[in-house]
Amino acid sequence: MYEKEIEAAAGIIAGAKYAVAFTGAGISAESGIPTFRDPGGLWDRFDPDEIGTLEGLTAFARRHPDRLRQLLQESVDSFGQAQPNPAHYGLAELEIMGLLKSVITQNADDLHSIAGNTRVFEVHGNLYRFRCLACGWTRKHHRDEILGPISTVLAMETFNIQELLSVLPKCECTGLMRPDVVMFGEAVQQLPESFLEARSADVLLVMGTSAMVWPAAGAPYEAKRQGAKIIEINPTTNAYRDITEVYIKDLSGRAMPKIVARVRELRGN
């Protein structure tokens, strides 16, 4: 259906000296994690002004514990069941081949690391890394260490917020810890490092992003300004049409195995 585009993308990637991937919510949606902005997503059912900040979420928890329980249950179910899909594994294969140097992601689900990528810049943080509100210390956990205890609390007959707080990670300084994710009004993480990585790329592979969430969405433009070739995979729209060399209108999980297989052929692997 798009053999010419697959061939073109594979040819560009096979010749890359420093390829970088830039991924958004679409790649995680293919693993069963709902997007925030699409119809039926989190912001379609919950007011982002109400739960999008730490203070707002805390107030929401006091006023609507049952709705918080619903939100947490949906999140635990989707994140707990999610596994890397062929797009994630394709990026890990490109790293093994020595072509892909890093992944810049807007997702906080850790699926790139689970799939095997070793240099992942998480501009919106990581759900399984916790940060102390008192001393700033961070610690990353395996997702089962986080989701398992939360599931136990949610399964109780009566939902208790204090019980929920009691099973979350504790800091050595005894301070409260929170998921190290970027909420509304907070600065994105690793942005200078991500933009430097994008500017270092000779090929940038864009997957599953609408280019609506700034400043992270500026990474492909940073790459293009330094002469990188931009390849975009997106089933709905060519979000970076003004700078894209190759656009593949398909799901990342369907297109990536074809691209990787062709790259292997071109490189004789």
Side-chain angles (χ1 to χ4, degrees), residues 15-20 99-102 119 197 200-204:
K17 291 184 172 59
Y18 203 102
V20 173
L99 296 170
L100 189 77
K101 304 304 181 182
S102 64
R119 292 187 73 233
E197 197 69 9
S200 300
D202 58 351
V203 175
L204 191 78

Side-chain angles (χ1 to χ4, degrees), residues 4-269:
K4 287 171 54 178
E5 288 81 4
I6 294 290
E7 184 69 24
I12 291 171
I13 294 170
K17 291 184 172 59
Y18 203 102
V20 173
F22 176 66
T23 68
I27 189 172
S28 293
E30 294 179 42
S31 289
I33 296 176
T35 63
F36 283 75
R37 298 172 182 275
D38 288 339
L42 187 66
W43 299 150
D44 199 27
R45 294 177 297 113
F46 294 89
D47 184 354
D49 292 331
E50 193 171 25
I51 67 169
T53 67
L54 184 60
E55 296 78 10
L57 184 59
T58 302
F60 180 84
R62 289 195 299 265
R63 292 195 307 270
H64 308 292
D66 289 341
R67 293 194 68 203
L68 177 64
R69 184 179 195 170
Q70 174 197 354
L71 171 62
L72 289 173
Q73 189 64 65
E74 290 179 11
S75 299
V76 167
D77 289 345
S78 60
F79 282 93
Q81 295 169 14
Q83 297 296 330
N85 64 57
H88 295 101
Y89 287 120
L91 292 176
E93 285 191 57
L94 291 179
E95 179 178 327
I96 291 170
M97 282 188 251
L99 296 170
L100 189 77
K101 304 304 181 182
S102 64
V103 177
I104 303 167
T105 186
Q106 299 172 87
N107 304 325
D109 50 43
D110 208 35
L111 290 179
H112 286 298
S113 296
I114 294 171
N117 283 115
T118 59
R119 292 187 73 233
V120 183
F121 297 85
E122 298 165 316
V123 295
H124 293 150
N126 188 302
L127 275 168
Y128 312 116
R129 183 175 62 242
F130 274 64
R131 172 165 51 86
C132 179
L133 295 173
C135 71
W137 182 62
T138 62
R139 180 175 62 207
K140 185 177 176 183
H141 299 259
H142 187 279
R143 68 176 179 179
D144 289 344
E145 295 179 89
I146 303 301
L147 299 183
I150 293 175
S151 295
T152 299
V153 173
L154 294 175
M156 293 178 176
E157 184 174 348
T158 302
F159 176 60
N160 186 299
I161 301 233
Q162 292 305 315
E163 188 71 30
L164 175 65
L165 293 175
S166 74
V167 301
L168 295 180
K170 306 295 186 299
C171 182
E172 293 179 357
C173 80
T174 71
L176 292 174
M177 299 189 80
R178 54 160 279 190
D180 192 20
V181 294
V182 176
M183 304 189 77
F184 282 13
E186 297 178 344
V188 296
Q189 301 180 13
Q190 297 187 297
L191 190 66
E193 300 95 323
S194 297
F195 277 12
L196 178 60
E197 197 69 9
R199 289 193 290 267
S200 300
D202 58 351
V203 175
L204 191 78
L205 179 56
V206 179
M207 305 166 68
T209 179
S210 62
M212 292 177 61
V213 183
W214 288 79
Y221 292 105
E222 295 291 323
K224 186 65 176 180
R225 276 192 283 271
Q226 298 302 315
K229 294 182 178 178
I230 311 298
I231 299 166
E232 183 178 355
I233 305 173
N234 191 318
T236 57
T237 183
N238 187 183
Y240 291 94
R241 64 177 59 84
D242 53 331
I243 59 172
T244 302
E245 265 75 30
V246 180
Y247 169 55
I248 298 172
K249 187 179 175 62
D250 200 359
L251 296 170
S252 297
R254 211 156 40 204
M256 276 301 292
K258 299 175 184 177
I259 293 172
V260 172
R262 184 57 181 141
V263 168
R264 287 195 179 280
E265 291 174 357
L266 292 171
R267 290 173 55 83
N269 293 348

